[in-house]
Amino acid sequence: MVTKVAENIVKSLEQIRQDIDAIAEHSDFNESVRLLAVSKKHPADAIRTAYDAGQREFAENYVQEGVDKIQQLKALDVTWHFIGPLQSNKTKLVAEHFDWVQSIEREKIARRLNEQRPDALPPLNVLLQVNIDNDPNKSGVQKKDVYALAEFVSQCSHLKLRGIMTILEADTDENQQLNSFAAMRALYEQLQQMHPSVDTLSMGMSGDMRQAIHAGANMVRIGSAIFGQRE
Ligand SMILES: *Cc1c(COP(=O)(O)O)cnc(C)c1O
């Protein structure tokens, strides 16, 4: 791949890691924050570059694009996360190829993934996508319905409930972001009381990473700040 592009990825990755550590150090939560590199719309070569710089967890939004890259990079020790909208006709591919799914918002999708997860693979790690602001235009399960969905997933032997994820509106102000992220943290801690397997609170992207870590995220999903703008 073009050396300049590769150089930028390595430099950005290093910068993001430093930023995460610096922000986490000043948060009230004594937890390490995992960096998930969101590689949608970027080629397998870009992933390989980040991998060579030590990154191991990557996320994709589109099923076929993700599966293509997973197959191209089979030789690498990557943990793959699916974070995009998931229709029922695509669950089989996700169950067969990914390690995590962060965008579960319906029982029907969870049931299909559980049925389609191959016996030879470990349980598929699951995060429930929460519509924390109850915005009717946004995807995700509403807060009041999270407990029932978590209970359902926890009963599925081929799924492992690991926590919750959210995406905030891009143009909300900083106070609103902090409030929403704090509501996620509270929900996360409640779920943890009920389900000991819960250990992941995935929130924060390139634009709102700082606020998310301040409010207690322990996984951030960063795309453009590592790989550059998408087409
Ligand atoms: C694209 C995407 C990201 C990364 O967004 P950036 O702004 O590029 O960091 C994170 N999470 C989800 C669910 C996404 O779709």
Side-chain angles (χ1 to χ4, degrees), residues 22-60:
I23 301 164
E25 205 173 307
H26 296 287
S27 89
D28 297 335
F29 304 90
N30 193 18
E31 288 179 39
S32 60
V33 178
R34 282 159 71 186
L35 171 59
L36 183 56
V38 179
S39 44
K40 64 180 175 217
K41 305 255 179 89
H42 291 283
D45 275 349
I47 297 173
R48 199 184 291 277
T49 298
Y51 182 90
D52 289 341
Q55 180 65 28
R56 289 293 177 272
E57 296 197 83
F58 293 88
E60 291 285 335

PDB file of all heavy atoms in Angstrom, residues 22-60:
ATOM      1  N   ALA A  22      -4.332   9.068  28.409  1.00  0.00           N
ATOM      2  CA  ALA A  22      -4.331  10.353  29.116  1.00  0.00           C
ATOM      3  C   ALA A  22      -5.719  10.678  29.644  1.00  0.00           C
ATOM      4  O   ALA A  22      -5.877  11.140  30.783  1.00  0.00           O
ATOM      5  CB  ALA A  22      -3.842  11.460  28.181  1.00  0.00           C
ATOM      6  N   ILE A  23      -6.749  10.433  28.847  1.00  0.00           N
ATOM      7  CA  ILE A  23      -8.121  10.736  29.286  1.00  0.00           C
ATOM      8  C   ILE A  23      -8.528   9.778  30.405  1.00  0.00           C
ATOM      9  O   ILE A  23      -9.113  10.184  31.408  1.00  0.00           O
ATOM     10  CB  ILE A  23      -9.119  10.637  28.104  1.00  0.00           C
ATOM     11  CG1 ILE A  23      -8.732  11.607  26.982  1.00  0.00           C
ATOM     12  CG2 ILE A  23     -10.533  10.929  28.583  1.00  0.00           C
ATOM     13  CD1 ILE A  23      -9.406  11.312  25.652  1.00  0.00           C
ATOM     14  N   ALA A  24      -8.203   8.499  30.233  1.00  0.00           N
ATOM     15  CA  ALA A  24      -8.608   7.488  31.223  1.00  0.00           C
ATOM     16  C   ALA A  24      -7.976   7.780  32.581  1.00  0.00           C
ATOM     17  O   ALA A  24      -8.593   7.563  33.627  1.00  0.00           O
ATOM     18  CB  ALA A  24      -8.225   6.091  30.739  1.00  0.00           C
ATOM     19  N   GLU A  25      -6.763   8.276  32.545  1.00  0.00           N
ATOM     20  CA  GLU A  25      -6.054   8.577  33.783  1.00  0.00           C
ATOM     21  C   GLU A  25      -6.801   9.617  34.615  1.00  0.00           C
ATOM     22  O   GLU A  25      -6.717   9.619  35.836  1.00  0.00           O
ATOM     23  CB  GLU A  25      -4.671   9.100  33.412  1.00  0.00           C
ATOM     24  CG  GLU A  25      -3.613   8.907  34.470  1.00  0.00           C
ATOM     25  CD  GLU A  25      -2.248   9.307  33.923  1.00  0.00           C
ATOM     26  OE1 GLU A  25      -1.867   8.796  32.843  1.00  0.00           O
ATOM     27  OE2 GLU A  25      -1.610  10.155  34.553  1.00  0.00           O
ATOM     28  N   HIS A  26      -7.509  10.533  33.934  1.00  0.00           N
ATOM     29  CA  HIS A  26      -8.219  11.589  34.648  1.00  0.00           C
ATOM     30  C   HIS A  26      -9.706  11.305  34.802  1.00  0.00           C
ATOM     31  O   HIS A  26     -10.475  12.191  35.139  1.00  0.00           O
ATOM     32  CB  HIS A  26      -8.025  12.934  33.933  1.00  0.00           C
ATOM     33  CG  HIS A  26      -6.587  13.377  33.943  1.00  0.00           C
ATOM     34  ND1 HIS A  26      -5.978  13.854  35.075  1.00  0.00           N
ATOM     35  CD2 HIS A  26      -5.650  13.369  32.971  1.00  0.00           C
ATOM     36  CE1 HIS A  26      -4.718  14.135  34.802  1.00  0.00           C
ATOM     37  NE2 HIS A  26      -4.490  13.850  33.529  1.00  0.00           N
ATOM     38  N   SER A  27     -10.133  10.082  34.527  1.00  0.00           N
ATOM     39  CA  SER A  27     -11.549   9.769  34.721  1.00  0.00           C
ATOM     40  C   SER A  27     -11.720   9.147  36.112  1.00  0.00           C
ATOM     41  O   SER A  27     -10.748   8.802  36.773  1.00  0.00           O
ATOM     42  CB  SER A  27     -12.047   8.817  33.639  1.00  0.00           C
ATOM     43  OG  SER A  27     -11.861   7.476  34.034  1.00  0.00           O
ATOM     44  N   ASP A  28     -12.976   9.018  36.553  1.00  0.00           N
ATOM     45  CA  ASP A  28     -13.240   8.459  37.879  1.00  0.00           C
ATOM     46  C   ASP A  28     -13.203   6.938  37.870  1.00  0.00           C
ATOM     47  O   ASP A  28     -13.391   6.304  38.898  1.00  0.00           O
ATOM     48  CB  ASP A  28     -14.640   8.888  38.362  1.00  0.00           C
ATOM     49  CG  ASP A  28     -14.740  10.391  38.514  1.00  0.00           C
ATOM     50  OD1 ASP A  28     -13.682  11.022  38.712  1.00  0.00           O
ATOM     51  OD2 ASP A  28     -15.871  10.912  38.433  1.00  0.00           O
ATOM     52  N   PHE A  29     -13.016   6.359  36.713  1.00  0.00           N
ATOM     53  CA  PHE A  29     -13.122   4.913  36.594  1.00  0.00           C
ATOM     54  C   PHE A  29     -11.741   4.311  36.422  1.00  0.00           C
ATOM     55  O   PHE A  29     -11.003   4.678  35.523  1.00  0.00           O
ATOM     56  CB  PHE A  29     -14.029   4.538  35.420  1.00  0.00           C
ATOM     57  CG  PHE A  29     -15.384   5.151  35.538  1.00  0.00           C
ATOM     58  CD1 PHE A  29     -15.640   6.403  34.992  1.00  0.00           C
ATOM     59  CD2 PHE A  29     -16.398   4.506  36.229  1.00  0.00           C
ATOM     60  CE1 PHE A  29     -16.891   6.992  35.124  1.00  0.00           C
ATOM     61  CE2 PHE A  29     -17.641   5.094  36.364  1.00  0.00           C
ATOM     62  CZ  PHE A  29     -17.893   6.335  35.809  1.00  0.00           C
ATOM     63  N   ASN A  30     -11.435   3.387  37.276  1.00  0.00           N
ATOM     64  CA  ASN A  30     -10.116   2.802  37.249  1.00  0.00           C
ATOM     65  C   ASN A  30     -10.111   1.555  36.354  1.00  0.00           C
ATOM     66  O   ASN A  30      -9.860   0.453  36.798  1.00  0.00           O
ATOM     67  CB  ASN A  30      -9.705   2.450  38.688  1.00  0.00           C
ATOM     68  CG  ASN A  30      -8.237   2.140  38.783  1.00  0.00           C
ATOM     69  OD1 ASN A  30      -7.463   2.495  37.903  1.00  0.00           O
ATOM     70  ND2 ASN A  30      -7.865   1.457  39.851  1.00  0.00           N
ATOM     71  N   GLU A  31     -10.440   1.766  35.082  1.00  0.00           N
ATOM     72  CA  GLU A  31     -10.530   0.632  34.176  1.00  0.00           C
ATOM     73  C   GLU A  31      -9.690   0.914  32.947  1.00  0.00           C
ATOM     74  O   GLU A  31      -9.572   2.055  32.522  1.00  0.00           O
ATOM     75  CB  GLU A  31     -11.991   0.437  33.709  1.00  0.00           C
ATOM     76  CG  GLU A  31     -12.902  -0.093  34.776  1.00  0.00           C
ATOM     77  CD  GLU A  31     -14.332  -0.251  34.267  1.00  0.00           C
ATOM     78  OE1 GLU A  31     -14.519  -0.667  33.110  1.00  0.00           O
ATOM     79  OE2 GLU A  31     -15.245   0.079  35.033  1.00  0.00           O
ATOM     80  N   SER A  32      -9.136  -0.134  32.362  1.00  0.00           N
ATOM     81  CA  SER A  32      -8.433   0.102  31.105  1.00  0.00           C
ATOM     82  C   SER A  32      -9.473   0.191  29.983  1.00  0.00           C
ATOM     83  O   SER A  32     -10.542  -0.403  30.056  1.00  0.00           O
ATOM     84  CB  SER A  32      -7.417  -1.003  30.832  1.00  0.00           C
ATOM     85  OG  SER A  32      -8.066  -2.229  30.743  1.00  0.00           O
ATOM     86  N   VAL A  33      -9.150   0.974  28.970  1.00  0.00           N
ATOM     87  CA  VAL A  33     -10.085   1.222  27.876  1.00  0.00           C
ATOM     88  C   VAL A  33      -9.556   0.530  26.616  1.00  0.00           C
ATOM     89  O   VAL A  33      -8.436   0.789  26.186  1.00  0.00           O
ATOM     90  CB  VAL A  33     -10.234   2.737  27.622  1.00  0.00           C
ATOM     91  CG1 VAL A  33     -11.166   2.995  26.438  1.00  0.00           C
ATOM     92  CG2 VAL A  33     -10.759   3.432  28.883  1.00  0.00           C
ATOM     93  N   ARG A  34     -10.375  -0.364  26.066  1.00  0.00           N
ATOM     94  CA  ARG A  34      -9.958  -1.090  24.853  1.00  0.00           C
ATOM     95  C   ARG A  34     -10.261  -0.263  23.617  1.00  0.00           C
ATOM     96  O   ARG A  34     -11.322   0.342  23.492  1.00  0.00           O
ATOM     97  CB  ARG A  34     -10.710  -2.419  24.749  1.00  0.00           C
ATOM     98  CG  ARG A  34     -10.130  -3.477  25.673  1.00  0.00           C
ATOM     99  CD  ARG A  34     -11.142  -4.541  25.945  1.00  0.00           C
ATOM    100  NE  ARG A  34     -11.407  -5.392  24.785  1.00  0.00           N
ATOM    101  CZ  ARG A  34     -12.351  -6.323  24.779  1.00  0.00           C
ATOM    102  NH1 ARG A  34     -13.125  -6.485  25.838  1.00  0.00           N
ATOM    103  NH2 ARG A  34     -12.545  -7.073  23.704  1.00  0.00           N
ATOM    104  N   LEU A  35      -9.314  -0.295  22.710  1.00  0.00           N
ATOM    105  CA  LEU A  35      -9.476   0.419  21.442  1.00  0.00           C
ATOM    106  C   LEU A  35      -9.911  -0.555  20.351  1.00  0.00           C
ATOM    107  O   LEU A  35      -9.232  -1.530  20.048  1.00  0.00           O
ATOM    108  CB  LEU A  35      -8.151   1.077  21.042  1.00  0.00           C
ATOM    109  CG  LEU A  35      -8.091   1.679  19.638  1.00  0.00           C
ATOM    110  CD1 LEU A  35      -9.144   2.756  19.432  1.00  0.00           C
ATOM    111  CD2 LEU A  35      -6.694   2.239  19.361  1.00  0.00           C
ATOM    112  N   LEU A  36     -11.079  -0.252  19.782  1.00  0.00           N
ATOM    113  CA  LEU A  36     -11.587  -1.023  18.655  1.00  0.00           C
ATOM    114  C   LEU A  36     -11.392  -0.171  17.396  1.00  0.00           C
ATOM    115  O   LEU A  36     -11.865   0.960  17.340  1.00  0.00           O
ATOM    116  CB  LEU A  36     -13.071  -1.315  18.900  1.00  0.00           C
ATOM    117  CG  LEU A  36     -13.823  -2.156  17.901  1.00  0.00           C
ATOM    118  CD1 LEU A  36     -13.158  -3.502  17.682  1.00  0.00           C
ATOM    119  CD2 LEU A  36     -15.249  -2.375  18.410  1.00  0.00           C
ATOM    120  N   ALA A  37     -10.663  -0.691  16.412  1.00  0.00           N
ATOM    121  CA  ALA A  37     -10.395   0.056  15.182  1.00  0.00           C
ATOM    122  C   ALA A  37     -11.497  -0.235  14.162  1.00  0.00           C
ATOM    123  O   ALA A  37     -11.696  -1.385  13.769  1.00  0.00           O
ATOM    124  CB  ALA A  37      -9.038  -0.341  14.610  1.00  0.00           C
ATOM    125  N   VAL A  38     -12.236   0.802  13.782  1.00  0.00           N
ATOM    126  CA  VAL A  38     -13.366   0.626  12.856  1.00  0.00           C
ATOM    127  C   VAL A  38     -12.872   0.785  11.423  1.00  0.00           C
ATOM    128  O   VAL A  38     -12.536   1.889  10.982  1.00  0.00           O
ATOM    129  CB  VAL A  38     -14.489   1.635  13.160  1.00  0.00           C
ATOM    130  CG1 VAL A  38     -15.640   1.458  12.178  1.00  0.00           C
ATOM    131  CG2 VAL A  38     -14.986   1.481  14.597  1.00  0.00           C
ATOM    132  N   SER A  39     -12.833  -0.335  10.701  1.00  0.00           N
ATOM    133  CA  SER A  39     -12.155  -0.368   9.393  1.00  0.00           C
ATOM    134  C   SER A  39     -13.106  -0.370   8.201  1.00  0.00           C
ATOM    135  O   SER A  39     -12.679  -0.572   7.061  1.00  0.00           O
ATOM    136  CB  SER A  39     -11.236  -1.585   9.347  1.00  0.00           C
ATOM    137  OG  SER A  39     -11.879  -2.746   9.871  1.00  0.00           O
ATOM    138  N   LYS A  40     -14.385  -0.114   8.428  1.00  0.00           N
ATOM    139  CA  LYS A  40     -15.347  -0.089   7.314  1.00  0.00           C
ATOM    140  C   LYS A  40     -14.882   0.860   6.206  1.00  0.00           C
ATOM    141  O   LYS A  40     -14.327   1.923   6.504  1.00  0.00           O
ATOM    142  CB  LYS A  40     -16.727   0.342   7.815  1.00  0.00           C
ATOM    143  CG  LYS A  40     -16.760   1.756   8.362  1.00  0.00           C
ATOM    144  CD  LYS A  40     -18.167   2.123   8.839  1.00  0.00           C
ATOM    145  CE  LYS A  40     -18.158   3.481   9.481  1.00  0.00           C
ATOM    146  NZ  LYS A  40     -19.047   3.597  10.628  1.00  0.00           N
ATOM    147  N   LYS A  41     -15.100   0.454   4.957  1.00  0.00           N
ATOM    148  CA  LYS A  41     -14.758   1.258   3.784  1.00  0.00           C
ATOM    149  C   LYS A  41     -13.249   1.455   3.597  1.00  0.00           C
ATOM    150  O   LYS A  41     -12.834   2.240   2.752  1.00  0.00           O
ATOM    151  CB  LYS A  41     -15.448   2.635   3.828  1.00  0.00           C
ATOM    152  CG  LYS A  41     -16.960   2.566   3.981  1.00  0.00           C
ATOM    153  CD  LYS A  41     -17.641   2.877   2.672  1.00  0.00           C
ATOM    154  CE  LYS A  41     -19.147   2.803   2.739  1.00  0.00           C
ATOM    155  NZ  LYS A  41     -19.750   4.062   3.130  1.00  0.00           N
ATOM    156  N   HIS A  42     -12.446   0.798   4.400  1.00  0.00           N
ATOM    157  CA  HIS A  42     -11.001   0.845   4.189  1.00  0.00           C
ATOM    158  C   HIS A  42     -10.519  -0.558   3.806  1.00  0.00           C
ATOM    159  O   HIS A  42     -11.057  -1.553   4.297  1.00  0.00           O
ATOM    160  CB  HIS A  42     -10.290   1.352   5.443  1.00  0.00           C
ATOM    161  CG  HIS A  42     -10.558   2.801   5.728  1.00  0.00           C
ATOM    162  ND1 HIS A  42      -9.946   3.823   5.032  1.00  0.00           N
ATOM    163  CD2 HIS A  42     -11.419   3.396   6.587  1.00  0.00           C
ATOM    164  CE1 HIS A  42     -10.399   4.986   5.465  1.00  0.00           C
ATOM    165  NE2 HIS A  42     -11.301   4.762   6.411  1.00  0.00           N
ATOM    166  N   PRO A  43      -9.499  -0.640   2.951  1.00  0.00           N
ATOM    167  CA  PRO A  43      -9.085  -1.939   2.411  1.00  0.00           C
ATOM    168  C   PRO A  43      -8.348  -2.813   3.438  1.00  0.00           C
ATOM    169  O   PRO A  43      -7.881  -2.316   4.473  1.00  0.00           O
ATOM    170  CB  PRO A  43      -8.133  -1.555   1.273  1.00  0.00           C
ATOM    171  CG  PRO A  43      -7.618  -0.202   1.629  1.00  0.00           C
ATOM    172  CD  PRO A  43      -8.725   0.471   2.389  1.00  0.00           C
ATOM    173  N   ALA A  44      -8.243  -4.092   3.105  1.00  0.00           N
ATOM    174  CA  ALA A  44      -7.559  -5.054   3.975  1.00  0.00           C
ATOM    175  C   ALA A  44      -6.124  -4.611   4.269  1.00  0.00           C
ATOM    176  O   ALA A  44      -5.615  -4.840   5.370  1.00  0.00           O
ATOM    177  CB  ALA A  44      -7.571  -6.439   3.326  1.00  0.00           C
ATOM    178  N   ASP A  45      -5.485  -3.963   3.314  1.00  0.00           N
ATOM    179  CA  ASP A  45      -4.114  -3.484   3.531  1.00  0.00           C
ATOM    180  C   ASP A  45      -4.023  -2.510   4.696  1.00  0.00           C
ATOM    181  O   ASP A  45      -3.022  -2.481   5.421  1.00  0.00           O
ATOM    182  CB  ASP A  45      -3.594  -2.763   2.281  1.00  0.00           C
ATOM    183  CG  ASP A  45      -3.010  -3.749   1.282  1.00  0.00           C
ATOM    184  OD1 ASP A  45      -2.829  -4.927   1.656  1.00  0.00           O
ATOM    185  OD2 ASP A  45      -2.735  -3.336   0.148  1.00  0.00           O
ATOM    186  N   ALA A  46      -5.039  -1.670   4.840  1.00  0.00           N
ATOM    187  CA  ALA A  46      -5.046  -0.698   5.941  1.00  0.00           C
ATOM    188  C   ALA A  46      -5.132  -1.435   7.282  1.00  0.00           C
ATOM    189  O   ALA A  46      -4.487  -1.043   8.262  1.00  0.00           O
ATOM    190  CB  ALA A  46      -6.221   0.270   5.788  1.00  0.00           C
ATOM    191  N   ILE A  47      -5.924  -2.492   7.304  1.00  0.00           N
ATOM    192  CA  ILE A  47      -6.054  -3.301   8.523  1.00  0.00           C
ATOM    193  C   ILE A  47      -4.720  -3.975   8.843  1.00  0.00           C
ATOM    194  O   ILE A  47      -4.258  -3.976   9.988  1.00  0.00           O
ATOM    195  CB  ILE A  47      -7.166  -4.362   8.347  1.00  0.00           C
ATOM    196  CG1 ILE A  47      -8.515  -3.657   8.146  1.00  0.00           C
ATOM    197  CG2 ILE A  47      -7.198  -5.319   9.531  1.00  0.00           C
ATOM    198  CD1 ILE A  47      -9.663  -4.584   7.808  1.00  0.00           C
ATOM    199  N   ARG A  48      -4.077  -4.493   7.800  1.00  0.00           N
ATOM    200  CA  ARG A  48      -2.785  -5.153   7.995  1.00  0.00           C
ATOM    201  C   ARG A  48      -1.749  -4.169   8.590  1.00  0.00           C
ATOM    202  O   ARG A  48      -0.963  -4.521   9.465  1.00  0.00           O
ATOM    203  CB  ARG A  48      -2.296  -5.704   6.654  1.00  0.00           C
ATOM    204  CG  ARG A  48      -1.228  -6.765   6.789  1.00  0.00           C
ATOM    205  CD  ARG A  48      -0.730  -7.203   5.419  1.00  0.00           C
ATOM    206  NE  ARG A  48      -1.709  -7.941   4.641  1.00  0.00           N
ATOM    207  CZ  ARG A  48      -1.928  -9.252   4.782  1.00  0.00           C
ATOM    208  NH1 ARG A  48      -1.247  -9.944   5.653  1.00  0.00           N
ATOM    209  NH2 ARG A  48      -2.841  -9.865   4.037  1.00  0.00           N
ATOM    210  N   THR A  49      -1.785  -2.941   8.091  1.00  0.00           N
ATOM    211  CA  THR A  49      -0.858  -1.922   8.607  1.00  0.00           C
ATOM    212  C   THR A  49      -1.091  -1.677  10.098  1.00  0.00           C
ATOM    213  O   THR A  49      -0.145  -1.633  10.892  1.00  0.00           O
ATOM    214  CB  THR A  49      -1.053  -0.598   7.835  1.00  0.00           C
ATOM    215  OG1 THR A  49      -0.742  -0.832   6.462  1.00  0.00           O
ATOM    216  CG2 THR A  49      -0.147   0.495   8.377  1.00  0.00           C
ATOM    217  N   ALA A  50      -2.356  -1.530  10.480  1.00  0.00           N
ATOM    218  CA  ALA A  50      -2.684  -1.304  11.892  1.00  0.00           C
ATOM    219  C   ALA A  50      -2.322  -2.538  12.719  1.00  0.00           C
ATOM    220  O   ALA A  50      -1.826  -2.425  13.848  1.00  0.00           O
ATOM    221  CB  ALA A  50      -4.163  -0.968  12.040  1.00  0.00           C
ATOM    222  N   TYR A  51      -2.554  -3.700  12.146  1.00  0.00           N
ATOM    223  CA  TYR A  51      -2.210  -4.959  12.828  1.00  0.00           C
ATOM    224  C   TYR A  51      -0.709  -5.024  13.105  1.00  0.00           C
ATOM    225  O   TYR A  51      -0.270  -5.363  14.206  1.00  0.00           O
ATOM    226  CB  TYR A  51      -2.655  -6.140  11.962  1.00  0.00           C
ATOM    227  CG  TYR A  51      -2.397  -7.493  12.576  1.00  0.00           C
ATOM    228  CD1 TYR A  51      -3.361  -8.108  13.382  1.00  0.00           C
ATOM    229  CD2 TYR A  51      -1.190  -8.172  12.355  1.00  0.00           C
ATOM    230  CE1 TYR A  51      -3.132  -9.348  13.944  1.00  0.00           C
ATOM    231  CE2 TYR A  51      -0.959  -9.417  12.921  1.00  0.00           C
ATOM    232  CZ  TYR A  51      -1.936 -10.002  13.710  1.00  0.00           C
ATOM    233  OH  TYR A  51      -1.709 -11.235  14.275  1.00  0.00           O
ATOM    234  N   ASP A  52       0.072  -4.680  12.105  1.00  0.00           N
ATOM    235  CA  ASP A  52       1.534  -4.702  12.267  1.00  0.00           C
ATOM    236  C   ASP A  52       1.988  -3.704  13.325  1.00  0.00           C
ATOM    237  O   ASP A  52       3.061  -3.854  13.906  1.00  0.00           O
ATOM    238  CB  ASP A  52       2.233  -4.416  10.933  1.00  0.00           C
ATOM    239  CG  ASP A  52       2.109  -5.573   9.956  1.00  0.00           C
ATOM    240  OD1 ASP A  52       1.817  -6.703  10.410  1.00  0.00           O
ATOM    241  OD2 ASP A  52       2.284  -5.357   8.741  1.00  0.00           O
ATOM    242  N   ALA A  53       1.146  -2.676  13.564  1.00  0.00           N
ATOM    243  CA  ALA A  53       1.463  -1.698  14.616  1.00  0.00           C
ATOM    244  C   ALA A  53       0.873  -2.124  15.967  1.00  0.00           C
ATOM    245  O   ALA A  53       0.832  -1.333  16.913  1.00  0.00           O
ATOM    246  CB  ALA A  53       0.941  -0.324  14.223  1.00  0.00           C
ATOM    247  N   GLY A  54       0.373  -3.364  16.040  1.00  0.00           N
ATOM    248  CA  GLY A  54      -0.049  -3.915  17.327  1.00  0.00           C
ATOM    249  C   GLY A  54      -1.545  -3.974  17.578  1.00  0.00           C
ATOM    250  O   GLY A  54      -1.991  -4.522  18.581  1.00  0.00           O
ATOM    251  N   GLN A  55      -2.364  -3.408  16.683  1.00  0.00           N
ATOM    252  CA  GLN A  55      -3.822  -3.413  16.878  1.00  0.00           C
ATOM    253  C   GLN A  55      -4.382  -4.812  16.595  1.00  0.00           C
ATOM    254  O   GLN A  55      -4.011  -5.426  15.596  1.00  0.00           O
ATOM    255  CB  GLN A  55      -4.466  -2.372  15.950  1.00  0.00           C
ATOM    256  CG  GLN A  55      -5.962  -2.273  16.057  1.00  0.00           C
ATOM    257  CD  GLN A  55      -6.432  -1.779  17.429  1.00  0.00           C
ATOM    258  OE1 GLN A  55      -5.732  -1.047  18.112  1.00  0.00           O
ATOM    259  NE2 GLN A  55      -7.624  -2.192  17.824  1.00  0.00           N
ATOM    260  N   ARG A  56      -5.247  -5.314  17.469  1.00  0.00           N
ATOM    261  CA  ARG A  56      -5.775  -6.673  17.288  1.00  0.00           C
ATOM    262  C   ARG A  56      -7.302  -6.731  17.120  1.00  0.00           C
ATOM    263  O   ARG A  56      -7.837  -7.735  16.659  1.00  0.00           O
ATOM    264  CB  ARG A  56      -5.384  -7.565  18.470  1.00  0.00           C
ATOM    265  CG  ARG A  56      -3.887  -7.911  18.497  1.00  0.00           C
ATOM    266  CD  ARG A  56      -3.510  -8.798  17.315  1.00  0.00           C
ATOM    267  NE  ARG A  56      -2.090  -9.102  17.267  1.00  0.00           N
ATOM    268  CZ  ARG A  56      -1.173  -8.332  16.643  1.00  0.00           C
ATOM    269  NH1 ARG A  56      -1.526  -7.194  16.043  1.00  0.00           N
ATOM    270  NH2 ARG A  56       0.089  -8.692  16.627  1.00  0.00           N
ATOM    271  N   GLU A  57      -8.023  -5.694  17.536  1.00  0.00           N
ATOM    272  CA  GLU A  57      -9.489  -5.744  17.445  1.00  0.00           C
ATOM    273  C   GLU A  57      -9.978  -4.763  16.381  1.00  0.00           C
ATOM    274  O   GLU A  57      -9.645  -3.573  16.425  1.00  0.00           O
ATOM    275  CB  GLU A  57     -10.123  -5.411  18.795  1.00  0.00           C
ATOM    276  CG  GLU A  57      -9.779  -6.450  19.854  1.00  0.00           C
ATOM    277  CD  GLU A  57     -10.702  -6.362  21.054  1.00  0.00           C
ATOM    278  OE1 GLU A  57     -11.804  -6.942  20.991  1.00  0.00           O
ATOM    279  OE2 GLU A  57     -10.322  -5.715  22.036  1.00  0.00           O
ATOM    280  N   PHE A  58     -10.756  -5.280  15.443  1.00  0.00           N
ATOM    281  CA  PHE A  58     -11.265  -4.476  14.332  1.00  0.00           C
ATOM    282  C   PHE A  58     -12.773  -4.652  14.217  1.00  0.00           C
ATOM    283  O   PHE A  58     -13.323  -5.693  14.590  1.00  0.00           O
ATOM    284  CB  PHE A  58     -10.586  -4.894  13.027  1.00  0.00           C
ATOM    285  CG  PHE A  58      -9.113  -4.558  12.988  1.00  0.00           C
ATOM    286  CD1 PHE A  58      -8.166  -5.444  13.485  1.00  0.00           C
ATOM    287  CD2 PHE A  58      -8.682  -3.332  12.486  1.00  0.00           C
ATOM    288  CE1 PHE A  58      -6.812  -5.128  13.476  1.00  0.00           C
ATOM    289  CE2 PHE A  58      -7.324  -3.001  12.470  1.00  0.00           C
ATOM    290  CZ  PHE A  58      -6.383  -3.908  12.971  1.00  0.00           C
ATOM    291  N   ALA A  59     -13.426  -3.608  13.670  1.00  0.00           N
ATOM    292  CA  ALA A  59     -14.884  -3.657  13.537  1.00  0.00           C
ATOM    293  C   ALA A  59     -15.315  -3.300  12.127  1.00  0.00           C
ATOM    294  O   ALA A  59     -14.747  -2.414  11.486  1.00  0.00           O
ATOM    295  CB  ALA A  59     -15.533  -2.687  14.526  1.00  0.00           C
ATOM    296  N   GLU A  60     -16.346  -4.004  11.666  1.00  0.00           N
ATOM    297  CA  GLU A  60     -16.920  -3.774  10.342  1.00  0.00           C
ATOM    298  C   GLU A  60     -18.423  -3.538  10.467  1.00  0.00           C
ATOM    299  O   GLU A  60     -19.065  -4.058  11.381  1.00  0.00           O
ATOM    300  CB  GLU A  60     -16.654  -4.990   9.445  1.00  0.00           C
ATOM    301  CG  GLU A  60     -15.174  -5.162   9.080  1.00  0.00           C
ATOM    302  CD  GLU A  60     -14.704  -4.152   8.026  1.00  0.00           C
ATOM    303  OE1 GLU A  60     -15.552  -3.663   7.248  1.00  0.00           O
ATOM    304  OE2 GLU A  60     -13.491  -3.863   7.987  1.00  0.00           O
TER     305      GLU A  60
END
